């Protein structure tokens, strides 16, 4: 097993690709800029500030409006009697289907319990037993023990967000809200020098500006909006992954998108963020049934409804195909009104708002895009292949999740690796802010309406079910969008008007192209990557990772390189080899 980080080699001065945007009209100096205000971003900011580093938090919406607050189930850690980090590690490795980095997972599960306790010391309040006063723990898919701490019944993310936001405000950390980060600033040697960003008409700054800092922490969350239906908020457009790629960083395992099995089905034409029905509902004993009331997961896995998410999502999808149905049902009528109201008040309210009462009727559910197991490739300290650029939380690929994230490991990963990043920054000598080297924009912007076309292409061709044909069609369609925009720029000097909608659409196209290229290359079924034409897992050929970079020399080229083993991360692969023209 190679030591994560040992083989990471620093990149050069990036790809030379930048978003079209006005020049920065204002600037702020800092030691660290944290991009994102979820559990990972705010934890990193608090720890950096506590170490005496001038820290600025930049967030795309309001400080408390990231993906963390939507987390219902809870945070996994070996806190219960009889549970151990070793057991948590084993469950995580099984869920990751052979692609987890064991050293990264071991760090997660051993450092996790104390990280949760520090979160509680920050002010987060978890549900406790009225009899014992101990934290109440529940169980979710893939866990063999009750190790999920929750708050407010099913409002864990909201409670964690509240506590961290209040701590950041109390610490007086500077924040820039309603700001879309555009690109990384880099010096002549390719080192991080800050970010450019656009503040959307509110706050102290307006328009395009810059935060100059020698350390940038990406905690931008996921990219669920690349699909038509997702549990992710509207701001989850893959901005961090796209920024990192343009800066020359490597991403890994982007083909492993977890589709949450039980998302409230709102109709075949529903788009955007959909209400999640937490896995904790199944953890408390709810059943998955078809229209005839048959529990179809029984016999498919030893844990039935509590199998890992990829297995449950596949089970639901198979049953839907067999019966020509658009959804299945989650039956928790046996909970009774009191349990629903006390344990799952948020889900109960969401269901009733859409005309469904889970106390008296089964809940219609179907899989929807939920979590990116891959992302910007990092070592055990959150360092990327670009010096000074860090990543943590969903935007990162630390090696913890492998081919499929174990339920409720995401909040824990955000905590643990954010702390490790802050400690790494604090251990370094303070450096001044080197000037960012201006780089002219060379890539075209997508029109705002391309967002919906990208989502349709991805849902049809790269959703829960994939095949060589569906992925080929998706790749050709995405390339058509890119080629049209590039031709308009190169032949006519025209591109879409710079703005939030066009920047987001451009970022979505970037991550969509990478995802599809990796899914085409991985000709097997593993974890949450399901190829109908290759239904079996192939450890001999594919127990390895896919590393992707943007080529600095070939237009439209993605460099997609499989590692030589399952070790994570692999040795750095030169850009000159195995280029894949999309």
């Amino acid at each position: 097993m190679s030591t994560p980080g040992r083989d990471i080699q620093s990149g050069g001065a990036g790809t030379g690709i930048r978003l079209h945007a006005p020049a920065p009209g204002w600037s702020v100096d800092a030691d660290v800029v944290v991009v994102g205000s979820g559990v990972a971003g705010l934890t990193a900011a608090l720890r950096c500030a506590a170490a005496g580093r001038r820290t600025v938090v930049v967030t795309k919406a309001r400080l408390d409006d990231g993906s963390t607050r939507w987390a219902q189930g809870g945070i996994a850690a070996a806190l219960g009697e009889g549970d151990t980090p070793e057991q948590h590690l084993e469950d995580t490795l099984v869920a990751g289907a052979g692609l987890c980095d064991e050293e990264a997972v071991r760090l997660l599960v051993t450092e996790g319990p104390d990280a949760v306790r520090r979160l509680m010391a920050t002010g987060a309040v978890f549900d406790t037993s009225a009899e014992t006063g101990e934290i109440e723990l529940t169980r979710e898919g893939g866990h063999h023990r009750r190790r999920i701490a929750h708050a407010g019944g099913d409002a864990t993310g909201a409670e964690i967000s509240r506590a961290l936001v209040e701590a950041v405000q109390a610490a007086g950390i500077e924040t820039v809200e309603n700001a879309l980060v555009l690109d990384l600033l880099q010096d002549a040697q390719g080192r991080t020098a800050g970010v450019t960003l656009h503040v959307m008409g509110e706050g102290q700054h307006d328009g395009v500006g810059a935060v100059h800092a020698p350390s940038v922490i990406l905690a931008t969350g996921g990219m669920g909006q690349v699909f038509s239906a997702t549990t992710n908020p509207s701001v989850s457009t893959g901005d961090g992954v796209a920024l990192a790629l343009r800066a020359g960083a490597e991403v890994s395992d982007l083909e492993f998108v977890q589709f949450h099995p039980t998302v409230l089905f709102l109709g075949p034409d529903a788009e955007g963020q959909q209400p999640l029905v937490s896995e904790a509902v199944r953890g408390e004993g709810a059943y998955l049934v078809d229209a005839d009331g048959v529990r179809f997961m029984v016999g498919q896995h030893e844990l039935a409804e509590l199998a890992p998410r990829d297995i449950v999502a596949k089970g639901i999808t198979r049953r839907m195909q067999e019966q020509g149905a658009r959804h299945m049902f989650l039956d928790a009528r046996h909970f009774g009104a009191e349990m629903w109201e006390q344990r799952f008040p948020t889900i109960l309210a969401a269901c009733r708002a859409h005309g469904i009462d889970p106390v008296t009727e089964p809940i219609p559910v179907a899989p929807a895009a939920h979590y990116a197991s891959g992302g910007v490739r990092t070592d055990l300290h959150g360092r990327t292949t670009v010096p000074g650029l860090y990543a943590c939380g969903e935007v990162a690929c630390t090696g913890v999740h492998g081919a499929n994230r174990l339920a409720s490991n995401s909040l824990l990963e955000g905590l643990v690796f954010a702390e490790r990043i802050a400690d790494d920054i604090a251990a370094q000598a303070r450096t001044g802010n080197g000037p960012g080297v201006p780089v002219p924009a060379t890539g075209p912007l997508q029109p705002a309406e391309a967002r919906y076309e990208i989502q349709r292409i991805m849902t049809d061709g790269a959703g829960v079910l994939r095949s060589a044909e569906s992925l080929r069609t998706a790749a050709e369609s995405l390339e058509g969008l890119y080629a049209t925009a590039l031709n308009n720029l190169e032949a006519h000097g025209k591109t879409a008007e710079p703005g939030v909608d066009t920047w987001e659409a451009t970022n979505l196209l970037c991550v969509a192209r990478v995802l599809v290229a990796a899914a085409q290359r991985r000709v097997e079924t593993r974890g949450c990557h399901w190829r109908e034409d290759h239904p079996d897992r192939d450890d001999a050929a594919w127990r390895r990772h896919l590393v992707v970079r943007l080529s600095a020399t070939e237009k439209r080229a993605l460099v997609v390189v499989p590692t030589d083993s399952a070790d994570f991360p692999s040795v750095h692969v030169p850009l000159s080899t195995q280029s894949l023209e999309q």
Side-chain angles (χ1 to χ4, degrees):
M1 174 72 66
S2 62
T3 302
R6 184 186 66 190
D7 296 321
I8 284 183
Q9 297 180 10
S10 299
T15 64
I17 302 171
R18 293 293 183 271
L19 293 173
H20 284 264
W26 55 270
S27 66
V28 173
D29 288 334
D31 295 320
V32 182
V33 56
V34 178
V35 187
S37 60
V39 62
L42 296 187
T43 297
L46 284 165
R47 204 164 175 101
C48 285
R53 297 299 195 263
R54 293 173 300 161
T55 303
V56 174
V57 175
V58 174
T59 187
K60 195 172 179 182
R62 298 187 308 276
L63 201 59
D64 62 350
D65 207 22
S67 292
T68 290
R69 76 181 183 94
W70 297 99
Q72 295 173 346
I75 184 167
L79 298 167
E81 184 177 354
D83 197 7
T84 65
E86 197 67 28
Q87 293 175 69
H88 189 181
L89 179 141
E90 182 60 29
D91 285 345
T92 300
L93 295 180
V94 170
L99 284 187
C100 296
D101 178 69
E102 186 169 339
E103 187 172 1
V105 178
R106 193 171 296 280
L107 282 173
L108 178 83
V109 300
T110 55
E111 296 181 9
D114 283 343
V116 172
R117 295 182 184 102
R118 284 189 289 273
L119 178 62
M120 294 168 64
T122 302
V125 179
F126 292 98
D127 295 340
T128 57
S129 167
E131 291 78 26
T132 66
E134 298 294 322
I135 294 177
E136 284 189 329
L137 299 173
T138 190
R139 189 175 161 205
E140 294 184 0
H143 293 272
H144 283 79
R145 283 190 174 271
R146 299 177 76 89
R147 65 168 65 98
I148 316 299
H150 51 84
D154 58 358
T156 310
E159 170 59 17
I160 290 173
S161 181
R162 177 205 63 77
L164 291 174
V165 167
E166 289 183 4
V168 164
Q169 292 171 336
I173 296 173
E174 183 176 354
T175 61
V176 183
E177 297 182 301
N178 301 297
L180 170 63
V181 168
L182 302 175
D183 279 303
L184 192 73
L185 291 169
Q186 294 170 271
D187 64 19
Q189 286 71 48
R191 278 199 56 87
T192 294
V195 293
T196 56
L197 65 159
H198 174 79
V199 180
M200 295 174 262
E202 299 181 27
Q204 183 178 354
H205 306 285
D206 289 335
V208 175
V211 180
H212 299 287
S215 297
V216 171
I217 302 173
L218 293 178
T220 51
M223 55 183 194
Q225 290 290 326
V226 79
F227 294 96
S228 296
T230 177
T231 62
N232 290 191
S234 61
V235 295
S236 297
T237 50
D239 307 320
V241 171
L243 175 151
L245 282 164
R246 289 193 294 270
E250 296 177 352
V251 303
S252 188
D253 301 347
L254 221 61
E255 67 271 30
F256 297 116
V257 176
Q258 186 177 85
F259 287 78
H260 198 287
T262 53
V263 175
L264 184 61
F265 181 75
L266 300 180
D269 299 322
E271 295 182 341
Q273 186 177 11
Q274 311 291 303
L276 176 67
V277 182
S278 170
E279 195 152 319
V281 178
R282 281 176 281 137
E284 295 291 354
Y287 311 132
L288 280 167
V289 298
D290 60 20
D292 298 321
V294 176
R295 286 183 63 189
F296 55 87
M297 284 304 300
V298 174
Q300 292 198 37
H301 190 275
E302 61 168 333
L303 296 176
E305 285 90 355
L306 283 176
R309 288 179 178 174
D310 62 306
I311 294 171
V312 180
K314 291 173 187 175
I316 291 173
T317 304
R318 283 194 187 101
R319 196 67 161 191
M320 288 163 55
Q321 287 181 321
E322 291 168 2
Q323 299 187 343
R326 294 186 179 275
H327 62 82
M328 291 289 110
F329 293 94
L330 187 64
D331 193 349
R333 290 174 290 180
H334 53 286
F335 284 6
E338 183 178 358
M339 181 174 174
W340 268 110
E341 290 163 0
Q342 293 183 1
R343 180 67 179 86
F344 300 112
T346 306
I347 299 170
L348 178 64
C351 288
R352 285 177 170 170
H354 292 283
I356 299 153
D357 188 351
V359 176
T360 61
E361 60 186 316
I363 306 167
V365 294
H370 182 56
Y371 191 89
S373 294
V376 183
R377 192 161 75 90
T378 75
D379 68 5
L380 293 182
H381 298 281
R383 295 176 291 216
T384 74
T385 49
V386 175
L389 179 65
Y390 297 81
C392 56
E394 190 173 353
V395 70
C397 186
T398 62
V400 160
H401 303 308
N404 183 48
R405 174 179 67 99
L406 181 65
S408 288
N409 268 356
S410 52
L411 292 175
L412 190 71
E413 183 199 31
L415 273 181
V416 169
F417 284 88
E419 290 186 346
R420 295 183 68 82
I421 287 172
D423 291 348
D424 188 70
I425 291 173
Q428 299 174 19
R430 264 186 149 131
T431 59
N433 295 332
V437 178
V439 177
T442 57
L445 290 179
Q446 291 295 312
E449 58 270 19
R451 176 178 184 137
Y452 306 103
E453 181 64 10
I454 293 164
Q455 291 173 335
R456 183 196 63 76
I457 291 168
M458 294 298 290
T459 298
D460 290 346
V464 177
L465 295 175
R466 300 167 179 176
S467 67
E469 180 60 24
S470 76
L471 291 167
R472 182 190 62 78
T473 300
E476 290 176 354
S477 299
L478 294 172
E479 175 61 17
L481 292 176
Y482 187 89
T484 297
L486 184 64
N487 181 66
N488 285 337
L489 177 64
E490 293 185 338
H492 309 292
K494 297 180 179 179
T495 192
E497 186 70 22
V500 173
D501 290 345
T502 57
W503 290 322
E504 286 186 335
T506 303
N507 286 340
L508 283 171
L509 181 60
C510 177
V511 297
R513 293 178 67 220
V514 174
L515 192 162
V516 169
Q520 283 183 294
R521 182 68 70 89
R522 184 173 290 281
V523 287
E524 65 158 355
T525 290
R526 181 185 299 271
C528 50
H529 170 68
W530 186 9
R531 287 282 299 259
E532 290 182 280
D533 50 340
H534 295 277
D536 298 320
R537 174 169 150 176
D538 184 355
D539 280 348
W542 283 108
R543 191 164 178 254
R544 60 194 67 211
H545 303 273
L546 288 169
V547 177
V548 184
R549 293 184 72 170
L550 289 181
S551 172
T553 58
E554 301 174 64
K555 289 180 182 177
R556 302 200 306 275
L558 299 175
V559 183
V560 184
V561 181
T563 62
D564 56 5
S565 74
D567 291 354
F568 184 93
S570 67
V571 295
H572 178 69
V573 182
L575 282 174
S576 60
T577 64
Q578 298 192 46
S579 176
L580 176 70
E581 187 77 33
Q582 278 251 82

